[in-house]
Amino acid sequence: MQYKGVCLGAATLSIVTVEKKGDSPVIVDAVVRNHEGEPRRTLSKMLEGLEKARLCATGRKFRHLMTVPSISEPEAVEMAYQFSRRGEHVEAIVSAGSETFILYELDEDGRISNVHTGSKCASGTGEFFLQQIQRMGLNIDEALQEAAACSNPYPVAGRCSVFCKSDCTHALNKGEKKGRVVAGLCQMLAGKVLELVRKAQVSRIMLVGGTSQNSVMVDYLRSEIEVIVPPEAPYFEALGSALWAMEQKLEPVDTKSENLFIPFKSSFSFLPPLSESQERVSFKEILRDEAMPGDRLLLGLDVGSTTTKAVLIREEDKALVASIYLRTM
């Protein structure tokens, strides 16, 4: 008999299927996907072909959108830890996700005794790291390979996402190697975890969540503390919810999308569309022309942390002869 656990995270959706063999649960299947801000649609696609399933959900926010039984993330973490500890004991579990880093202190029985959360600033998250390497034109494997070959990470600010992004942009504009900047980002992420570790005064942790797959970050952590990354780390909370479903012997539920989710209701109030106020707006225009031989041109350049803009204006009549608007790579 199979049971499924679903974790609806800020950026990813994971599903784990477990069943019992003898007296012990085993993992039959585990899938992790980026939901691109559409957890309902993504989950419906992942469950296509299933009419019914014994299902439990977890996740800080999105689990409340579902009609199936659900448990909190700390409960899911405790359940998964009993499966993944394999006779070992750690002092804390750090869940390093795309949006938040959380440290769960554990007692001798593997139960959560205290919780520490990291800075709410986006620079210390997995999603921010992915955004920055994408701006460099690197995929995750390329980025980590280049960072691993760097022995001198470029220092970047960790206290603020704007400062951190600006540090990366300025470094690349000065010609710093991408690998050195990526290594700096990995070191900054490790620093975020170490802040939690020092706050909790622990020295042996289990690291889970998508960011646990950042091997360069993990190497930096292991130079300071003892770190265990279990094979189940990328889908840890989903595993916990599947094990809970098995423990509770949940009955199958209909997996059709309209039955899995509560009816959508926005928590926002809405204003009239801007198009209804168009007559109240004054639009300023500039003369546009093509550059001609002999023209004297003025270059305007704005390199921002996210986008880069450039214009060419003819000095004689201030006509705009060229412009471009790009993402800052």
Side-chain angles (χ1 to χ4, degrees):
M1 195 174 295
Q2 295 187 344
Y3 296 83
K4 292 185 182 294
V6 176
C7 180
L8 296 108
T12 59
L13 197 158
S14 49
I15 299 180
V16 174
T17 304
V18 300
E19 67 181 16
K20 267 196 175 178
K21 284 195 175 177
D23 294 329
S24 303
V26 295
I27 297 173
V28 177
D29 187 43
V31 183
V32 181
R33 288 186 189 167
N34 195 313
H35 59 61
E36 304 289 348
E38 294 187 338
R40 294 173 186 246
R41 182 183 299 178
T42 305
L43 180 58
S44 297
K45 286 184 177 179
M46 292 172 76
L47 294 175
E48 272 181 354
L50 275 180
E51 291 186 5
K52 290 181 177 290
R54 294 172 171 84
L55 195 64
C56 173
T58 190
R60 277 185 294 280
K61 298 176 184 176
F62 292 133
R63 74 180 174 99
H64 299 296
L65 300 175
M66 299 190 68
T67 58
V68 301
S70 68
I71 59 175
S72 67
E73 284 199 345
E75 289 176 282
V77 166
E78 283 188 347
M79 293 293 298
Y81 177 61
Q82 299 305 322
F83 179 93
S84 299
R85 64 189 296 181
R86 296 175 176 87
E88 295 188 271
H89 177 69
V90 296
E91 298 169 283
I93 297 172
V94 175
S95 178
S98 60
E99 186 183 64
T100 312
F101 283 11
I102 300 176
L103 183 144
Y104 301 101
E105 281 189 66
L106 303 176
D107 61 21
E108 289 298 323
D109 296 321
R111 301 298 178 186
I112 295 172
S113 60
N114 203 356
V115 180
H116 302 274
T117 58
S119 165
K120 296 301 179 185
C121 179
S123 68
T125 64
E127 187 66 16
F128 178 82
F129 176 80
L130 291 177
Q131 290 171 2
Q132 299 319 300
I133 65 172
Q134 286 165 4
R135 291 172 67 231
M136 299 180 209
L138 300 172
N139 62 38
I140 186 70
D141 292 332
E142 293 168 338
L144 295 180
Q145 186 176 359
E146 292 196 23
C150 174
S151 59
N152 183 25
Y154 186 87
V156 296
R159 65 190 183 279
C160 171
S161 59
V162 176
F163 293 161
C164 187
K165 189 160 61 170
S166 294
D167 282 349
C168 295
T169 301
H170 297 159
L172 295 167
N173 287 345
K174 291 188 295 185
E176 291 289 351
K177 291 184 177 180
K178 292 179 181 179
R180 189 177 179 220
V181 178
V182 175
L185 286 168
C186 294
Q187 192 174 57
M188 179 271 294
L189 289 173
K192 292 288 185 178
V193 175
L194 290 172
E195 285 177 20
L196 293 172
V197 166
R198 289 167 187 144
K199 189 187 297 185
Q201 297 182 334
V202 297
S203 59
R204 190 168 192 260
I205 67 168
M206 179 178 284
L207 185 66
V208 302
T211 309
S212 68
Q213 305 306 290
N214 184 326
S215 56
V216 178
M217 183 195 83
V218 173
D219 286 343
Y220 286 131
L221 285 174
R222 283 179 170 152
S223 67
E224 300 281 339
I225 58 173
E226 191 174 350
V227 180
I228 295 171
V229 181
E232 304 82 17
Y235 45 84
F236 200 73
E237 287 87 350
L239 169 62
S241 62
L243 294 170
W244 186 87
M246 175 180 284
E247 185 180 82
Q248 300 299 314
K249 299 180 180 177
L250 294 183
E251 291 300 315
V253 297
D254 192 333
T255 57
K256 291 178 183 174
S257 179
E258 60 267 25
N259 297 320
L260 279 179
F261 296 97
I262 60 174
F264 177 76
K265 183 180 178 182
S266 175
S267 59
F268 294 97
S269 57
F270 292 88
L271 298 173
L274 288 174
S275 58
E276 293 183 9
S277 302
Q278 195 165 343
E279 73 282 353
R280 299 171 60 185
V281 181
S282 298
F283 291 92
K284 304 296 183 182
E285 295 188 0
I286 187 172
L287 175 65
R288 292 175 179 269
D289 202 355
E290 293 186 4
M292 303 296 290
D295 282 349
R296 182 179 173 86
L297 304 176
L298 307 174
L299 172 67
L301 183 64
D302 176 16
V303 181
S305 61
T306 303
T307 58
T308 295
K309 290 75 68 177
V311 296
L312 277 176
I313 294 178
R314 187 160 51 216
E315 185 177 41
E316 182 182 6
D317 56 2
K318 304 300 185 287
L320 181 68
V321 299
S323 64
I324 195 165
Y325 187 99
L326 302 168
R327 283 198 173 277
T328 301
M329 302 300 283

